Amino acid sequence: MVGRRRPVTLEYLHAMNNVIDFINVNRERYLEELKALLAIPSISALPEHAGDVRRCAEWCGDEMRRVGLQNVQLFETPGNPIVYSEWLGAEGAPTILFYGHYDVQPVDPLDLWLSPPFEATIRDGEIFARGSADDKGQVFMHLKAIEAHFKQNGRLPVNIKLILEGEEEVGSVNLDNFVKGNKELLKADVVVISDSAMFARGVPSICYGLRGLVYFQIDVRGSNTDLHSGVFGGALANPAFVLAQMLTGMKERNGTIKIPGFYDDVVPLTDEERQAWATLPFNEKQYRKTFGIPKVQGEPGYTTLERTWARPTFEVNGLLSGFTGAGAKTVLPAVSMAKVSMRLVPNQDPNTIAKLFEDYVQKLAPKTVEVKVTRMHGGKPWMASFDNKFIQAAGRAIEQGFGRTPVFTREGGSIPVVATFQEELGLPSVLFGVGLPDENAHAPNEKLDCDNFHNGIIASAVLYQEIGKL
Ligand code: BES
Ligand code: MN
Ligand code: MN
């Protein structure tokens, strides 16, 4: 399988041109079909959507059958099902393990959406819906690339196994066990994932690093009931204040994280990476303008790209306490709550960092309140070298789909299973994403650029051929 490159014959080129023609002719149909997938509210975080999540898994399985994939199965987990399918008819060619997720993030605040999140709407060349970019649109791109090969040639140029997960947005809590328990089923040569972004419009990219994550809830209780702030104020600790003080205790003013030992395992950026990233067309002024940021800030000595791609963070994701309605209410809240998380970089280990954090919270917690820390999900960081033949093949495919060679990026986001594929299956991953940084993933008005979606189908189709030739 490895080290053998089949010659590019005319017949082979012809087969590929047919596939690309088919994709071009079917452009509008793909968007219409994608709308049906985007209409299913498969929100994994909300228990009331469990039925929709399952319906979405079934829809994906049916679609896999429709495009020509075989052995379609729904694997049950303690949570949401994993959808599996394969086509293994390309004798002697490598096998791709494709991974994607069919679950989506919640849609609140709903009133900020310009069109309903589960009624996909095309405006100005972008398809708006929850899941359009993250990750249904990008998964669908591959299903349509597969369909095009089958329709035109009756076969694929490569072997492929697909797994679609329904719990990525809630930390992939059951996927590691599935991977560990199904090593033979998942045996392959390379993982392909489209669940990341391009560097910028017109600048396609291949991602070779992801940050990891640990996520916590902190609950603080100061009394057994809310209290009159005049009658009791001054006599006991206010949990909102205590929590705020604990949170500010996590960082220096300049952003450096104060948890003892937090940076011990951080792999420093190399000069090569810094130089390469400095040449990327990053426009800080535009970045600030796009997101309405008055002034960027972060760890001293690092650029914005370095801070988000290669440095760890401590962030508050949510904060709750006391009276937040209209008007004024003189009250001492009984409780306060924060959701906090840390993004991790190689070689920080989520379990180690979790322990350091928990110990530090207990150290910061005053005796005047009860503090409870609950660990939620997490995932390991991942980084790969990008000089392997699969990444080179992806570069050629992207060039055909997008008309220019990709740049190499790391990303600040997390896809927990990527490290698992490396550790448990020994597989490299190729992350070729077609989202854009301003496509509002996890936010109101999520969208996917229709041209990128279309070019992504072509690039995916070529990618199968390119990997098939290796
Ligand atoms: N697709 C994203 C991750 C991502 C975003 C990778 C941008 C590269 C660029 C994924 O769906 C996601 O949101 N992951 C979560 C993981 C978490 C819930 C464990 C994240 O990063 O917050
Ligand atoms: Mn995603
Ligand atoms: Mn996501």
Coordinates of all heavy atoms in Angstrom, one line a residue, residues 314-343:
F314 N -6.8 30.7 29.7 CA -7.8 30.5 30.7 C -8.9 31.5 30.4 O -8.7 32.7 30.4 CB -7.2 30.8 32.1 CG -8.3 30.6 33.2 CD1 -8.4 29.5 33.9 CD2 -9.2 31.7 33.5 CE1 -9.4 29.3 34.9 CE2 -10.1 31.5 34.5 CZ -10.2 30.3 35.2
E315 N -10.1 31.0 30.2 CA -11.2 31.9 29.9 C -12.5 31.6 30.7 O -12.7 30.5 31.1 CB -11.6 31.7 28.4 CG -10.6 32.2 27.4 CD -10.3 33.7 27.5 OE1 -11.1 34.5 28.2 OE2 -9.3 34.2 26.9
V316 N -13.3 32.7 30.9 CA -14.6 32.5 31.5 C -15.6 32.4 30.4 O -15.6 33.3 29.5 CB -14.9 33.8 32.3 CG1 -16.3 33.7 32.9 CG2 -13.9 34.0 33.4
N317 N -16.4 31.3 30.4 CA -17.3 31.1 29.3 C -18.7 31.6 29.7 O -19.6 31.8 28.9 CB -17.4 29.6 28.9 CG -16.1 29.1 28.4 OD1 -15.4 28.3 29.1 ND2 -15.6 29.6 27.3
G318 N -19.0 31.7 31.0 CA -20.3 32.1 31.5 C -20.2 32.5 32.9 O -19.4 31.9 33.7
L319 N -21.1 33.4 33.3 CA -21.0 33.9 34.7 C -22.4 34.3 35.1 O -23.1 34.9 34.4 CB -20.1 35.2 34.6 CG -19.4 35.7 35.8 CD1 -18.6 34.7 36.5 CD2 -18.5 36.9 35.4
L320 N -22.8 33.8 36.3 CA -24.2 34.0 36.8 C -24.2 34.3 38.3 O -23.6 33.6 39.0 CB -24.9 32.7 36.5 CG -26.4 32.8 36.5 CD1 -26.9 33.6 35.3 CD2 -27.0 31.3 36.4
S321 N -24.9 35.3 38.6 CA -25.2 35.6 40.0 C -26.2 36.7 40.2 O -26.2 37.6 39.4 CB -23.9 35.9 40.8 OG -24.1 35.9 42.2
G322 N -27.0 36.6 41.3 CA -27.8 37.7 41.7 C -28.8 38.2 40.8 O -29.3 37.5 39.9
F323 N -29.2 39.4 41.0 CA -30.3 40.0 40.2 C -29.8 40.6 38.9 O -29.0 41.5 38.9 CB -31.0 41.1 41.1 CG -32.1 41.8 40.4 CD1 -33.3 41.2 40.1 CD2 -31.9 43.1 39.9 CE1 -34.3 41.8 39.4 CE2 -32.9 43.8 39.2 CZ -34.1 43.1 39.0
T324 N -30.4 40.2 37.8 CA -30.0 40.6 36.5 C -31.1 41.2 35.6 O -31.0 41.4 34.4 CB -29.2 39.5 35.7 OG1 -30.1 38.4 35.6 CG2 -27.9 39.1 36.4
G325 N -32.3 41.3 36.2 CA -33.4 41.8 35.5 C -33.4 43.3 35.3 O -32.4 44.0 35.7
A326 N -34.5 43.9 34.7 CA -34.5 45.3 34.6 C -34.7 46.0 36.0 O -35.2 45.3 36.9 CB -35.7 45.7 33.7
G327 N -34.3 47.2 36.1 CA -34.5 47.9 37.4 C -33.4 47.5 38.4 O -32.4 46.9 38.1
A328 N -33.7 47.8 39.7 CA -32.7 47.5 40.8 C -33.3 46.7 41.9 O -34.5 46.9 42.2 CB -32.2 48.8 41.3
K329 N -32.6 45.8 42.4 CA -33.1 45.0 43.5 C -32.0 44.9 44.6 O -30.9 44.5 44.2 CB -33.5 43.6 43.0 CG -34.0 42.6 44.1 CD -34.3 41.2 43.5 CE -34.7 40.3 44.5 NZ -34.6 38.9 44.1
T330 N -32.3 45.3 45.8 CA -31.2 45.3 46.8 C -31.2 43.9 47.4 O -31.9 43.6 48.3 CB -31.5 46.4 47.8 OG1 -32.9 46.3 48.2 CG2 -31.2 47.8 47.3
V331 N -30.2 43.1 47.0 CA -30.2 41.7 47.4 C -28.7 41.2 47.5 O -27.9 41.7 46.7 CB -31.0 40.8 46.4 CG1 -30.3 40.7 45.1 CG2 -31.2 39.4 47.0
L332 N -28.5 40.4 48.4 CA -27.2 39.6 48.4 C -27.5 38.2 47.9 O -28.2 37.5 48.5 CB -26.7 39.5 49.9 CG -26.2 40.7 50.6 CD1 -25.7 40.2 52.0 CD2 -25.1 41.4 49.9
P333 N -26.9 37.9 46.7 CA -27.1 36.6 46.2 C -26.6 35.5 47.1 O -25.5 35.7 47.7 CB -26.4 36.6 44.9 CG -25.4 37.7 44.9 CD -25.9 38.7 45.9
A334 N -27.3 34.4 47.2 CA -26.9 33.2 48.0 C -25.8 32.5 47.2 O -24.9 31.9 47.9 CB -28.0 32.3 48.3
V335 N -25.8 32.5 45.9 CA -24.9 31.7 45.1 C -24.4 32.4 43.9 O -24.9 33.4 43.5 CB -25.6 30.4 44.6 CG1 -26.0 29.4 45.7 CG2 -26.8 30.7 43.7
S336 N -23.3 31.9 43.4 CA -22.7 32.4 42.1 C -22.2 31.2 41.4 O -21.9 30.2 42.0 CB -21.7 33.5 42.3 OG -20.6 32.9 43.0
M337 N -22.1 31.4 40.1 CA -21.6 30.2 39.3 C -20.8 30.7 38.1 O -21.2 31.8 37.5 CB -22.9 29.5 38.8 CG -22.6 28.2 38.1 SD -22.3 28.4 36.3 CE -23.9 28.4 35.7
A338 N -19.8 30.0 37.7 CA -19.0 30.4 36.5 C -18.7 29.1 35.8 O -18.5 28.0 36.3 CB -17.7 31.1 36.9
K339 N -18.8 29.2 34.4 CA -18.2 28.2 33.6 C -16.9 28.7 33.1 O -16.8 29.8 32.5 CB -19.2 28.0 32.4 CG -20.6 27.7 32.7 CD -20.9 26.3 32.8 CE -22.4 26.1 32.9 NZ -22.8 24.7 33.2
V340 N -15.9 27.9 33.3 CA -14.5 28.3 32.8 C -13.9 27.2 32.1 O -14.2 26.0 32.3 CB -13.6 28.7 34.0 CG1 -14.3 29.8 34.8 CG2 -13.3 27.5 34.9
S341 N -13.0 27.6 31.2 CA -12.2 26.5 30.5 C -10.8 27.0 30.1 O -10.6 28.2 30.1 CB -13.0 26.1 29.2 OG -13.1 27.2 28.3
M342 N -10.0 26.0 29.9 CA -8.6 26.3 29.5 C -8.4 25.6 28.1 O -8.7 24.4 28.0 CB -7.7 25.8 30.5 CG -7.6 26.7 31.7 SD -7.2 25.8 33.2 CE -8.8 25.4 33.9
R343 N -7.8 26.4 27.2 CA -7.3 25.8 26.0 C -5.9 25.4 26.2 O -5.1 26.1 26.8 CB -7.4 26.8 24.8 CG -8.8 27.1 24.4 CD -9.5 26.1 23.6 NE -11.0 26.4 23.5 CZ -11.8 25.7 22.8 NH1 -11.4 24.6 22.1 NH2 -13.1 26.0 22.8

